[in-house]
């Protein structure tokens, strides 16, 4: 775990000529290793203040404070408005580093935490884009056409905890190949919105069960009756704390989620058919 002293030692290692750039990279990479640490983000905010970027520093502090406040807190509306105002004013500037990848970042607790990007652009310079910010979530397009190069780069994006593959219609075989190197890594949330499943249900079950996900979204998935029930009855949801099954074809009476998803905390069954 990083501490303030660790950071002081880290920053002192850089030569003066490269100090600013390398220090910032070191700070963001350290945050990426401990993305839940607000202390590291606040240290980064102090660094930004010292390097003539007070707006970014203010945005980090404001978003962190907002994340800690309940929505009923009287300070919440004003603080939310302040965060949005800063983001509206500086979004283009703060998103500039991601333009070579044609990526759209989303900011959480002051820093870019998620990217929407085409796999074609991601695989070109994966290491570089992952060093720009503590990215935890990826929404990918074009997976089917660039499956092999994406698989090769899984170790470079292994810090990802959330993956959105909506509208990427991989068959069961390709799906299994993609997720084989993800086993045992940090991935916890998977979104397969508007997904089409093929008939080889056994392959889907084995792949998804081995991932041990805590959050799973199948919203508006397109398939025959029985897929959700098959996933549930074969242990895919055993570790799930949050399930989004909205808009799917299911027979809710066949689901026994108290037994099939014992850790479940939230469930969305809206617009199920």
């Amino acid at each position: 775990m990083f501490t303030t002293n660790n950071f002081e030692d880290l920053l002192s290692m850089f030569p003066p000529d490269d100090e600013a750039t390398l220090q910032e990279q070191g700070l963001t990479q350290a945050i990426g290793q401990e993305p839940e640490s607000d202390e590291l983000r606040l240290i980064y905010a102090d660094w930004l203040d010292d390097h003539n970027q007070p707006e970014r520093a203010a945005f980090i502090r404001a978003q962190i404070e907002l994340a800690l406040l309940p929505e009923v807190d009287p300070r919440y509306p004003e603080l939310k408005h302040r965060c949005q105002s800063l983001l509206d004013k500086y979004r283009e500037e703060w998103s500039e580093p991601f333009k070579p990848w044609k990526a759209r970042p989303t900011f959480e607790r002051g820093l870019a935490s998620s990217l929407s990007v085409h796999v074609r652009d991601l695989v070109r310079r994966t290491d570089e884009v992952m060093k720009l910010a503590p990215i935890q979530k990826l929404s990918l397009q074009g997976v089917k056409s660039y499956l092999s190069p994406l698989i090769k780069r899984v170790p470079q994006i292994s810090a990802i905890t959330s993956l959105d593959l909506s509208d990427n219609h991989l068959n069961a075989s390709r799906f299994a190949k993609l997720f084989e190197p993800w086993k045992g890594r940090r991935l916890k949330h998977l979104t397969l919105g508007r997904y089409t499943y093929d008939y080889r249900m056994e392959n889907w079950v084995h792949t998804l069960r081995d991932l041990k996900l805590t959050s799973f979204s199948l919203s508006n998935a397109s398939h025959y009756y029985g897929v959700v029930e098959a996933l549930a009855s074969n242990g895919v949801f055993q570790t799930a704390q949050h399930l989004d099954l909205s808009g799917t074809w299911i027979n809710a009476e066949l689901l026994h989620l108290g037994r099939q998803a014992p850790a479940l905390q939230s469930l969305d069954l809206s617009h199920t058919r």
Side-chain angles (χ1 to χ4, degrees):
M1 177 177 291
F2 286 90
T3 66
T4 303
N5 289 335
N6 293 145
F7 269 103
E8 291 174 352
D9 293 340
L10 175 67
L11 298 183
S12 67
M13 292 170 58
F14 299 117
D17 291 346
D18 300 323
E19 186 174 5
T21 298
L22 293 179
Q23 282 185 357
E24 186 165 21
Q25 288 179 358
L27 289 165
T28 56
Q29 288 176 41
I31 294 169
Q33 293 176 31
E34 297 186 40
E36 299 306 316
S37 172
D38 287 334
E39 179 187 3
L40 301 187
R41 292 170 187 259
L42 293 172
I43 291 172
Y44 182 39
D46 291 342
W47 184 92
L48 290 168
D49 267 333
D50 292 340
H51 290 79
N52 301 313
Q53 299 184 64
E55 296 83 5
R56 284 193 68 192
F59 181 65
I60 291 173
R61 296 187 184 105
Q63 276 209 322
I64 289 175
E65 185 179 356
L66 184 67
L68 296 174
L69 284 181
E71 293 188 17
V72 295
D73 191 292
R75 295 169 293 170
Y76 190 91
E78 182 179 350
L79 190 58
K80 184 177 180 180
H81 176 73
R82 183 185 177 199
C83 290
Q84 191 60 51
S85 296
L86 284 166
L87 190 56
D88 289 344
K89 185 174 182 179
Y90 294 102
R91 183 194 301 271
E92 185 172 350
E93 176 184 335
W94 296 340
S95 301
E96 183 70 26
F98 298 96
K99 285 191 176 180
W101 291 268
K102 303 176 183 176
R104 298 186 302 276
T106 300
F107 293 84
E108 295 180 11
R109 290 166 47 235
L111 299 174
S113 65
S114 64
L115 287 181
S116 177
V117 62
H118 197 286
V119 177
R120 173 194 59 235
D121 300 308
L122 175 66
V123 299
R124 286 175 179 167
R125 293 180 291 172
T126 308
D127 279 341
E128 291 181 43
V129 72
M130 297 305 293
K131 288 178 181 177
L132 292 175
I135 303 299
Q136 299 294 298
K137 305 173 185 177
L138 282 178
S139 177
L140 299 179
Q141 300 90 49
V143 174
K144 187 175 182 179
S145 299
Y146 294 87
L147 183 62
S148 293
L150 176 60
I151 291 172
K152 292 178 182 178
R153 285 158 180 78
V154 167
Q156 295 164 272
I157 58 174
S158 59
I160 296 301
T161 59
S162 178
L163 192 60
D164 187 342
L165 297 180
S166 298
D167 297 310
N168 289 281
H169 303 297
L170 302 177
N171 61 30
S173 175
R174 290 182 173 181
F175 191 86
K177 288 179 181 178
L178 172 60
F179 282 101
E180 179 63 32
W182 284 96
K183 294 176 183 177
R185 298 189 185 270
R186 298 172 63 178
L187 186 66
K188 296 299 180 185
H189 176 82
L190 181 62
T191 298
L192 300 173
R194 301 175 299 281
Y195 220 83
T196 301
Y197 298 86
D198 61 24
Y199 61 90
R200 286 167 291 188
M201 201 61 230
E202 184 177 348
N203 289 343
W204 289 101
V205 167
H206 289 164
T207 301
L208 292 169
R209 184 172 57 206
D210 290 346
L211 291 175
K212 302 185 187 319
L213 300 167
T214 59
S215 182
F216 197 13
S217 174
L218 292 171
S219 59
N220 296 301
S222 176
H223 47 61
Y224 57 85
Y225 277 108
V227 169
V228 174
E229 291 87 341
L231 295 176
S233 62
N234 284 280
V236 173
F237 300 152
Q238 279 292 312
T239 55
Q241 298 175 11
H242 309 283
L243 280 177
D244 179 1
L245 305 178
S246 58
T248 57
W249 292 79
I250 66 171
N251 184 343
E253 294 180 358
L254 296 180
L255 292 178
H256 304 284
L257 291 177
R259 180 174 70 252
Q260 297 162 341
L264 195 63
Q265 299 176 11
S266 66
L267 173 65
D268 188 345
L269 290 175
S270 60
H271 308 294
T272 52
R273 293 168 280 178

